[in-house]
Every structure is written in C-alpha cells, then in structure tokens.
Amino acid sequence: MMLFNGPLDLVFWAISLAALGMSGWALLHAIRIPAPAFKSAGKLTKNLWTLFLGLATFFTFVAAFGSFFGIHLFDFSRLNIFTIAAVIASGIYLADVKPAVNEYRGGGSSNQGPYGPW
C-alpha cells in the first residue's frame, strides 16, 4: 500500500499523475493518427512513436501506481530517470510531432481547394 511519508511524497505523486496523463494523451493521439501522416510530416514512423509513447506510459504508470501494486524494481515508485525520459518523449511528441501530423489530411476530397473546402 502506498504510504505518504510527508508532503513531498504527495507532490511527487501528483507530478507522476500529471506525467501519466501527458504520456497517455500523447499515446492515444499517436494511435489515432494514420501512419502516412508521420511520413508526410517528415517525422519518425508511427510504429516508433507508439513504441516510445507506450514505454513512456508504462513508466509513468508504474511511477504513479507502482507502490499500490508492490512494484519496487529499481524503485519505480519515485520519480527517476525513466520517468524523466518519458516526460521528455511525451513533450517532444506533443510539441513537435502532434501539430505536424494534425495538418495531414488523408484521402483526396474533391471539394477541397488550396485553402480549405469550397
């Protein structure tokens, strides 16, 4: 069971929850976007981003809830280098890749002009 030894533990848990939300949001977005969008935006492939973001979500989940489930391997119950790397990967995706792949429009709609729909 998770025990908070002081206010700092509560702060770290809140940060871990925020990191989990961020990486989960990035992972869900990457899953929903079609693979050609990544190529047309000049970014890494969809498979690589989903792998990175899946690992990021796993590490942030374990950081946030690891002590609830008794996972103490490498002391994942605290913020560590894996959680920091997960936040960095999720931040790069949300700040750089997400806006680029959102511009992708799949298929060829006949009512699209150069500046949007006619």
Side-chain angles (χ1 to χ4, degrees), residues 10-65:
L10 194 59
V11 168
F12 281 143
W13 185 62
I15 291 171
S16 296
L17 284 178
L20 175 61
M22 187 170 109
S23 61
W25 176 32
L27 178 62
L28 289 176
H29 184 270
I31 289 171
R32 290 183 7 192
I33 296 295
F38 291 88
K39 185 174 182 179
S40 72
K43 304 299 178 187
L44 293 176
T45 65
K46 178 179 181 168
N47 291 338
L48 278 176
W49 274 114
T50 53
L51 174 69
F52 293 154
L53 296 172
L55 288 172
T57 304
F58 170 75
F59 285 126
T60 55
F61 177 82
V62 172
F65 298 108

Side-chain angles (χ1 to χ4, degrees), residues 2-115:
M2 183 175 211
L3 297 174
F4 295 113
N5 295 327
L8 192 57
D9 285 343
L10 194 59
V11 168
F12 281 143
W13 185 62
I15 291 171
S16 296
L17 284 178
L20 175 61
M22 187 170 109
S23 61
W25 176 32
L27 178 62
L28 289 176
H29 184 270
I31 289 171
R32 290 183 7 192
I33 296 295
F38 291 88
K39 185 174 182 179
S40 72
K43 304 299 178 187
L44 293 176
T45 65
K46 178 179 181 168
N47 291 338
L48 278 176
W49 274 114
T50 53
L51 174 69
F52 293 154
L53 296 172
L55 288 172
T57 304
F58 170 75
F59 285 126
T60 55
F61 177 82
V62 172
F65 298 108
S67 56
F68 282 127
F69 299 111
I71 302 171
H72 297 289
L73 182 65
F74 300 119
D75 195 23
F76 278 126
S77 61
R78 304 269 184 244
L79 291 179
N80 57 26
I81 191 70
F82 295 110
T83 309
I84 294 168
V87 169
I88 291 171
S90 300
I92 289 172
Y93 180 84
L94 291 173
D96 182 44
V97 179
K98 182 180 179 281
V101 297
N102 276 342
E103 295 176 4
Y104 177 78
R105 301 285 183 240
S109 178
S110 62
N111 63 354
Q112 290 290 329
Y115 302 106

